[in-house]
PDB file of all heavy atoms in Angstrom:
ATOM      1  N   ASN A 177      -7.735 -20.540 -10.482  1.00 97.00           N
ATOM      2  CA  ASN A 177      -7.356 -19.276 -11.116  1.00 97.00           C
ATOM      3  C   ASN A 177      -5.968 -19.365 -11.743  1.00 97.00           C
ATOM      4  O   ASN A 177      -5.741 -18.899 -12.864  1.00 97.00           O
ATOM      5  CB  ASN A 177      -7.397 -18.136 -10.101  1.00 97.00           C
ATOM      6  CG  ASN A 177      -8.813 -17.735  -9.722  1.00 97.00           C
ATOM      7  OD1 ASN A 177      -9.785 -18.189 -10.327  1.00 97.00           O
ATOM      8  ND2 ASN A 177      -8.938 -16.893  -8.708  1.00 97.00           N
ATOM      9  N   THR A 178      -5.035 -19.960 -11.019  1.00 97.00           N
ATOM     10  CA  THR A 178      -3.675 -20.090 -11.537  1.00 97.00           C
ATOM     11  C   THR A 178      -3.648 -20.961 -12.791  1.00 97.00           C
ATOM     12  O   THR A 178      -2.956 -20.649 -13.765  1.00 97.00           O
ATOM     13  CB  THR A 178      -2.745 -20.671 -10.457  1.00 97.00           C
ATOM     14  OG1 THR A 178      -2.714 -19.775  -9.334  1.00 97.00           O
ATOM     15  CG2 THR A 178      -1.324 -20.845 -10.984  1.00 97.00           C
ATOM     16  N   ALA A 179      -4.417 -22.044 -12.775  1.00 97.00           N
ATOM     17  CA  ALA A 179      -4.484 -22.917 -13.949  1.00 97.00           C
ATOM     18  C   ALA A 179      -5.017 -22.169 -15.167  1.00 97.00           C
ATOM     19  O   ALA A 179      -4.637 -22.466 -16.310  1.00 97.00           O
ATOM     20  CB  ALA A 179      -5.363 -24.130 -13.646  1.00 97.00           C
ATOM     21  N   ASN A 180      -5.873 -21.170 -14.920  1.00 96.00           N
ATOM     22  CA  ASN A 180      -6.427 -20.365 -16.012  1.00 96.00           C
ATOM     23  C   ASN A 180      -5.534 -19.179 -16.381  1.00 96.00           C
ATOM     24  O   ASN A 180      -5.893 -18.386 -17.263  1.00 96.00           O
ATOM     25  CB  ASN A 180      -7.813 -19.844 -15.624  1.00 96.00           C
ATOM     26  CG  ASN A 180      -8.842 -20.949 -15.514  1.00 96.00           C
ATOM     27  OD1 ASN A 180      -8.705 -22.005 -16.135  1.00 96.00           O
ATOM     28  ND2 ASN A 180      -9.873 -20.724 -14.712  1.00 96.00           N
ATOM     29  N   GLY A 181      -4.403 -19.051 -15.682  1.00 96.00           N
ATOM     30  CA  GLY A 181      -3.509 -17.930 -15.945  1.00 96.00           C
ATOM     31  C   GLY A 181      -3.940 -16.638 -15.280  1.00 96.00           C
ATOM     32  O   GLY A 181      -3.484 -15.555 -15.663  1.00 96.00           O
ATOM     33  N   ASP A 182      -4.811 -16.739 -14.265  1.00 97.00           N
ATOM     34  CA  ASP A 182      -5.349 -15.558 -13.593  1.00 97.00           C
ATOM     35  C   ASP A 182      -4.713 -15.370 -12.219  1.00 97.00           C
ATOM     36  O   ASP A 182      -4.492 -16.337 -11.488  1.00 97.00           O
ATOM     37  CB  ASP A 182      -6.868 -15.688 -13.409  1.00 97.00           C
ATOM     38  CG  ASP A 182      -7.598 -15.881 -14.727  1.00 97.00           C
ATOM     39  OD1 ASP A 182      -7.121 -15.344 -15.746  1.00 97.00           O
ATOM     40  OD2 ASP A 182      -8.639 -16.575 -14.734  1.00 97.00           O
ATOM     41  N   HIS A 183      -4.459 -14.112 -11.863  1.00 97.00           N
ATOM     42  CA  HIS A 183      -3.984 -13.780 -10.528  1.00 97.00           C
ATOM     43  C   HIS A 183      -5.181 -13.638  -9.581  1.00 97.00           C
ATOM     44  O   HIS A 183      -6.278 -13.269 -10.007  1.00 97.00           O
ATOM     45  CB  HIS A 183      -3.178 -12.486 -10.549  1.00 97.00           C
ATOM     46  CG  HIS A 183      -1.857 -12.626 -11.233  1.00 97.00           C
ATOM     47  ND1 HIS A 183      -1.730 -12.724 -12.605  1.00 97.00           N
ATOM     48  CD2 HIS A 183      -0.595 -12.694 -10.739  1.00 97.00           C
ATOM     49  CE1 HIS A 183      -0.449 -12.846 -12.922  1.00 97.00           C
ATOM     50  NE2 HIS A 183       0.255 -12.831 -11.813  1.00 97.00           N
ATOM     51  N   THR A 184      -4.941 -13.913  -8.303  1.00 97.00           N
ATOM     52  CA  THR A 184      -6.017 -13.903  -7.310  1.00 97.00           C
ATOM     53  C   THR A 184      -5.755 -12.855  -6.242  1.00 97.00           C
ATOM     54  O   THR A 184      -4.620 -12.686  -5.784  1.00 97.00           O
ATOM     55  CB  THR A 184      -6.140 -15.281  -6.626  1.00 97.00           C
ATOM     56  OG1 THR A 184      -6.400 -16.281  -7.614  1.00 97.00           O
ATOM     57  CG2 THR A 184      -7.270 -15.282  -5.606  1.00 97.00           C
ATOM     58  N   LEU A 185      -6.829 -12.172  -5.843  1.00 97.00           N
ATOM     59  CA  LEU A 185      -6.766 -11.244  -4.717  1.00 97.00           C
ATOM     60  C   LEU A 185      -8.031 -11.429  -3.881  1.00 97.00           C
ATOM     61  O   LEU A 185      -9.139 -11.218  -4.372  1.00 97.00           O
ATOM     62  CB  LEU A 185      -6.662  -9.802  -5.217  1.00 97.00           C
ATOM     63  CG  LEU A 185      -6.667  -8.689  -4.163  1.00 97.00           C
ATOM     64  CD1 LEU A 185      -5.539  -8.872  -3.165  1.00 97.00           C
ATOM     65  CD2 LEU A 185      -6.571  -7.323  -4.834  1.00 97.00           C
ATOM     66  N   PHE A 186      -7.854 -11.868  -2.630  1.00 97.00           N
ATOM     67  CA  PHE A 186      -8.961 -11.964  -1.689  1.00 97.00           C
ATOM     68  C   PHE A 186      -8.980 -10.704  -0.825  1.00 97.00           C
ATOM     69  O   PHE A 186      -7.942 -10.279  -0.315  1.00 97.00           O
ATOM     70  CB  PHE A 186      -8.800 -13.170  -0.756  1.00 97.00           C
ATOM     71  CG  PHE A 186      -8.960 -14.511  -1.414  1.00 97.00           C
ATOM     72  CD1 PHE A 186      -7.856 -15.298  -1.679  1.00 97.00           C
ATOM     73  CD2 PHE A 186     -10.217 -14.990  -1.750  1.00 97.00           C
ATOM     74  CE1 PHE A 186      -7.996 -16.546  -2.269  1.00 97.00           C
ATOM     75  CE2 PHE A 186     -10.370 -16.234  -2.344  1.00 97.00           C
ATOM     76  CZ  PHE A 186      -9.256 -17.014  -2.606  1.00 97.00           C
ATOM     77  N   ILE A 187     -10.170 -10.126  -0.638  1.00 96.00           N
ATOM     78  CA  ILE A 187     -10.333  -8.995   0.273  1.00 96.00           C
ATOM     79  C   ILE A 187     -11.526  -9.315   1.170  1.00 96.00           C
ATOM     80  O   ILE A 187     -12.629  -9.575   0.683  1.00 96.00           O
ATOM     81  CB  ILE A 187     -10.562  -7.670  -0.479  1.00 96.00           C
ATOM     82  CG1 ILE A 187      -9.517  -7.480  -1.586  1.00 96.00           C
ATOM     83  CG2 ILE A 187     -10.504  -6.498   0.496  1.00 96.00           C
ATOM     84  CD1 ILE A 187      -9.714  -6.215  -2.407  1.00 96.00           C
ATOM     85  N   LEU A 188     -11.316  -9.295   2.484  1.00 96.00           N
ATOM     86  CA  LEU A 188     -12.317  -9.760   3.440  1.00 96.00           C
ATOM     87  C   LEU A 188     -13.022  -8.592   4.127  1.00 96.00           C
ATOM     88  O   LEU A 188     -12.409  -7.548   4.388  1.00 96.00           O
ATOM     89  CB  LEU A 188     -11.661 -10.633   4.513  1.00 96.00           C
ATOM     90  CG  LEU A 188     -11.356 -12.092   4.168  1.00 96.00           C
ATOM     91  CD1 LEU A 188     -10.381 -12.208   3.007  1.00 96.00           C
ATOM     92  CD2 LEU A 188     -10.815 -12.827   5.387  1.00 96.00           C
ATOM     93  N   TRP A 189     -14.280  -8.804   4.451  1.00 94.00           N
ATOM     94  CA  TRP A 189     -15.042  -7.822   5.230  1.00 94.00           C
ATOM     95  C   TRP A 189     -14.564  -7.911   6.677  1.00 94.00           C
ATOM     96  O   TRP A 189     -14.820  -8.883   7.381  1.00 94.00           O
ATOM     97  CB  TRP A 189     -16.527  -8.128   5.131  1.00 94.00           C
ATOM     98  CG  TRP A 189     -17.415  -7.077   5.734  1.00 94.00           C
ATOM     99  CD1 TRP A 189     -17.037  -5.961   6.425  1.00 94.00           C
ATOM    100  CD2 TRP A 189     -18.846  -7.043   5.691  1.00 94.00           C
ATOM    101  NE1 TRP A 189     -18.123  -5.236   6.816  1.00 94.00           N
ATOM    102  CE2 TRP A 189     -19.257  -5.869   6.377  1.00 94.00           C
ATOM    103  CE3 TRP A 189     -19.809  -7.879   5.145  1.00 94.00           C
ATOM    104  CZ2 TRP A 189     -20.597  -5.533   6.531  1.00 94.00           C
ATOM    105  CZ3 TRP A 189     -21.149  -7.537   5.292  1.00 94.00           C
ATOM    106  CH2 TRP A 189     -21.534  -6.379   5.976  1.00 94.00           C
ATOM    107  N   ALA A 190     -13.865  -6.878   7.113  1.00 94.00           N
ATOM    108  CA  ALA A 190     -13.215  -6.912   8.423  1.00 94.00           C
ATOM    109  C   ALA A 190     -14.214  -7.112   9.553  1.00 94.00           C
ATOM    110  O   ALA A 190     -13.979  -7.902  10.480  1.00 94.00           O
ATOM    111  CB  ALA A 190     -12.415  -5.629   8.640  1.00 94.00           C
ATOM    112  N   ASP A 191     -15.333  -6.397   9.516  1.00 93.00           N
ATOM    113  CA  ASP A 191     -16.285  -6.452  10.626  1.00 93.00           C
ATOM    114  C   ASP A 191     -16.919  -7.826  10.786  1.00 93.00           C
ATOM    115  O   ASP A 191     -17.363  -8.186  11.878  1.00 93.00           O
ATOM    116  CB  ASP A 191     -17.389  -5.406  10.428  1.00 93.00           C
ATOM    117  CG  ASP A 191     -16.873  -3.985  10.564  1.00 93.00           C
ATOM    118  OD1 ASP A 191     -15.787  -3.805  11.153  1.00 93.00           O
ATOM    119  OD2 ASP A 191     -17.535  -3.057  10.070  1.00 93.00           O
TER     120      ASP A 191
END
Side-chain angles (χ1 to χ4, degrees):
N177 287 351
T178 299
N180 292 335
D182 302 328
H183 290 74
T184 301
L185 177 58
F186 291 105
I187 311 178
L188 280 61
W189 188 355
D191 292 341

